[in-house]
C-alpha cells in the first residue's frame, strides 16, 4: 500500500504544472508604475568612446597632472568599466547598475572634496543616484562604494 501512495503522490507532483508567471517580463515598482524588463541583458554594439567622463586638474607646479575618470560600456548592458587616472597611477573598477527597467545612464560628478568625484546613475525620474566615490587619501587613489542599490520584486498571492 505504501508503494501505491508514493506512486500516486509522485504522479500528482509530476502532473502539477506551475502557472506561467509574467514576473520576469513585467511587474510594478514601489510607486505602482509598471516595470519594463524588456531591456536586453547584452549589447549588440559596444561603444569604444566613454559614455561618461570627468577630469580635474591636480595642483602641481611642475607637471600637468589630472584626476581623470572614463566610463566605458561592456558587452553586458548593466555593467561598465571605469578607468581612473591620477598622476602616474592608473586603476580600473567595474560598475554594475541595477536593472530598473530603463537603459542605464551613468554620470560622473564633482565630489565633495578637492580632487574627488562621484560616479552614479540616473533613476527612472532622472534623479542622480550616488554610487561610488573616487578620491585621494595620502596621494593614493581610493574607490569607495557610497550606497548599494537593488530592485526587489514581491509576488502577491491572490
Amino acid at each position: 500500500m505504501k508503494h501505491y501512495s508514493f506512486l500516486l503522490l509522485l504522479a500528482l507532483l509530476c502532473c502539477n504544472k506551475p502557472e506561467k508567471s509574467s514576473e520576469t517580463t513585467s511587474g510594478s515598482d514601489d510607486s505602482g508604475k509598471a516595470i519594463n524588463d524588456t531591456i536586453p541583458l547584452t549589447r549588440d554594439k559596444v561603444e569604444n568612446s566613454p559614455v561618461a567622463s570627468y577630469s580635474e586638474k591636480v595642483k602641481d607646479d611642475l607637471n600637468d597632472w589630472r584626476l581623470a575618470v572614463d566610463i566605458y560600456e561592456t558587452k553586458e548592458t548593466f555593467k561598465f568599466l571605469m578607468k581612473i587616472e591620477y598622476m602616474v597611477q592608473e586603476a580600473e573598477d567595474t560598475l554594475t547598475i541595477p536593472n530598473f527597467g530603463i537603459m542605464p545612464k551613468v554620470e560622473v560628478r564633482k565630489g565633495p572634496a578637492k580632487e574627488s568625484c562621484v560616479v552614479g546613475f540616473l533613476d527612472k525620474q532622472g534623479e542622480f543616484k550616488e554610487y561610488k566615490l573616487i578620491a585621494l587619501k595620502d596621494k593614493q587613489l581610493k574607490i569607495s562604494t557610497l550606497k548599494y542599490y537593488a530592485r526587489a520584486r514581491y509576488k502577491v498571492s491572490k
Side-chain angles (χ1 to χ4, degrees), residues 112 118-121 127-132 146-149:
V118 175
V119 178
F121 59 93
E127 291 182 36
F128 182 70
K129 299 295 183 183
E130 295 180 339
Y131 196 179
K132 293 194 178 193
L146 296 171
K147 296 181 183 177
Y148 293 90
Y149 297 92

Side-chain angles (χ1 to χ4, degrees), residues 14-107:
C14 291
C15 293
N16 186 16
K17 294 181 183 176
E19 290 181 33
K20 287 190 176 180
S21 170
S22 61
E23 189 174 12
T24 58
T25 58
S26 66
S28 63
D29 63 11
D30 294 337
S31 66
K33 293 181 183 175
I35 293 175
N36 178 0
D37 281 352
T38 59
I39 306 296
L41 296 178
T42 57
R43 291 184 174 92
D44 292 331
K45 183 179 181 251
V46 177
E47 290 294 325
N48 291 328
S49 57
V51 294
S53 295
Y54 177 83
S55 181
E56 180 180 337
K57 186 166 176 41
V58 173
K59 187 175 178 178
D60 187 288
D61 295 334
L62 301 175
N63 300 297
D64 185 26
W65 299 119
R66 303 187 99 43
L67 168 64
V69 178
D70 289 316
I71 301 180
Y72 296 90
E73 290 180 344
T74 66
K75 188 71 177 159
E76 295 178 60
T77 303
F78 297 96
K79 287 198 178 192
F80 295 84
L81 174 66
M82 294 191 310
K83 291 187 177 184
I84 306 155
E85 213 177 295
Y86 171 69
M87 298 172 98
V88 293
Q89 299 175 54
E90 292 182 0
E92 288 187 356
D93 194 14
T94 57
L95 183 70
T96 303
I97 305 299
N99 180 351
F100 288 122
I102 59 171
M103 287 300 285
K105 293 181 184 109
V106 178
E107 287 190 3

